[in-house]
């Protein structure tokens, strides 16, 4: 069973600028969370605090755009201490007429998790399940 939320946006900015807005902690703190720690490497820590709510996890995949108009992908896991982990995948695709398509998918692929509480990989590696 998979619970999933999808969003598809078109932004009037090149993929390199959109990538920065999605991966630079200082820029993320302008729109996503009050405090952000994001170590952009597979297995790196991810921590987002908004008020009293803290989501922690780890980075699964980092594929920055190869050029000003190239495609990119970021995937990470996150959860609060009282909820199951979810996987967030963000894909950037340049649009032929200019701008960037941003596709975000947040899912809880329960069949991928060890439901007996085994720790997930990554430095944050909390017990989810």
């Amino acid at each position: 069973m998979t619970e999933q939320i999808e969003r598809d946006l078109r932004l009037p900015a090149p993929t390199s600028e959109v990538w920065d807005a999605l991966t630079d902690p200082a820029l993320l703190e302008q729109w996503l969370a009050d405090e952000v720690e994001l170590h952009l490497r597979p297995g790196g820590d991810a921590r987002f605090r908004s008020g009293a709510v803290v989501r922690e996890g780890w980075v699964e995949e980092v594929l920055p755009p190869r050029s000003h108009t190239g495609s990119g992908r970021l995937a990470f896991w996150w959860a609060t201490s009282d909820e199951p982990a979810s996987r967030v995948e963000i894909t950037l695709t340049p649009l032929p007429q200019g701008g960037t398509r941003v596709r975000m998918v947040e899912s809880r692929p329960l069949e991928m998790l060890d439901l007996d509480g085994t720790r997930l990989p990554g430095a944050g590696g909390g017990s989810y399940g």
Side-chain angles (χ1 to χ4, degrees), residues 3 11 16 19 38 47 51 55-57 64 67 91 94 97 99 122 127 129:
E3 298 175 41
L11 300 176
S16 58
W19 180 261
L38 186 61
R47 184 176 186 279
R55 292 182 183 274
E56 294 182 296
S67 69
T91 305
Q97 67 276 19
S127 226

Side-chain angles (χ1 to χ4, degrees), residues 49-66:
R49 183 191 62 77
S50 293
V53 177
V54 176
R55 292 182 183 274
E56 294 182 296
W58 57 280
V59 176
E60 178 183 319
E61 182 178 28
V62 180
L63 296 170
R66 292 183 185 209

Side-chain angles (χ1 to χ4, degrees), residues 4 11 13 15-16 20 26 52 54 61 64 69 72 77 83-84 88 99 119 125:
Q4 185 167 296
L11 300 176
T15 55
S16 58
D20 289 343
V54 176
E61 182 178 28
T69 58
W77 290 78
E83 70 180 16
V88 177
R119 295 175 70 79

Side-chain angles (χ1 to χ4, degrees), residues 5 17 27 29 35 41 43 46 57-58 61 66 68 72 89 94 101 111 123 125:
I5 298 171
E17 287 180 24
L27 295 175
E29 289 171 358
E35 227 174 78
R41 59 177 171 70
W58 57 280
E61 182 178 28
R66 292 183 185 209
H68 190 62
E89 181 176 342
R101 176 183 180 225
E111 66 277 2

Side-chain angles (χ1 to χ4, degrees), residues 115-128:
L115 297 179
D116 67 4
T118 300
R119 295 175 70 79
L120 291 174
S127 226
Y128 303 116

